[in-house]
Amino acid sequence: DWSFGAGAGFYLDATEEPWAKHYRMESYVRDELLTLAADAFGLDLTSVGASGHSMGGHGALSLFLRNPGLFKSVSAFAPICNPTQSP
C-alpha cells in the first residue's frame, strides 16, 4: 500500500511498521548520501543544493526546510506540495 501515511515514499522516513525499520530515505539522503557523493566527486558540502521534480520536489523542499544549513539552495519543479491530497 503506497497511500500517503500507510506506505513509504516522498523522501521521508517511514513511521509505520513494517516499513519504519528499513525505509529511511530522509535519513539516508541527509546522513549517508551527501557524504558518499562528497567523497566520490569532491563536493564542497558548504555549497550543495537540493532539487527535484514532482515527488522529488517534495523531497527537496522537505529536506531543505527540515535541515536548516544543510543545503545552500533548493529548487522544486512541479512539486507535490500537498501529498495528502494526491491520488
Side-chain angles (χ1 to χ4, degrees):
D1 181 2
W2 288 93
S3 299
F4 189 76
F10 289 88
Y11 296 88
L12 302 171
D13 291 345
T15 58
E16 294 187 15
E17 297 300 332
W19 303 279
K21 183 175 180 181
H22 297 292
Y23 196 92
R24 314 279 303 155
M25 185 59 73
E26 180 179 1
S27 295
Y28 171 69
V29 171
R30 182 190 62 229
D31 302 335
E32 296 180 48
L33 184 61
L34 285 174
T35 303
L36 290 171
D39 292 345
F41 303 110
L43 302 179
D44 176 3
L45 291 178
T46 64
S47 61
V48 173
S51 66
H53 171 260
S54 191
M55 184 172 68
H58 176 276
L61 291 170
S62 294
L63 284 164
F64 182 81
L65 294 171
R66 288 176 182 230
N67 300 281
L70 183 62
F71 298 102
K72 190 167 188 172
S73 64
V74 64
S75 297
F77 306 97
I80 297 173
C81 291
N82 192 1
T84 59
Q85 298 301 312
S86 295

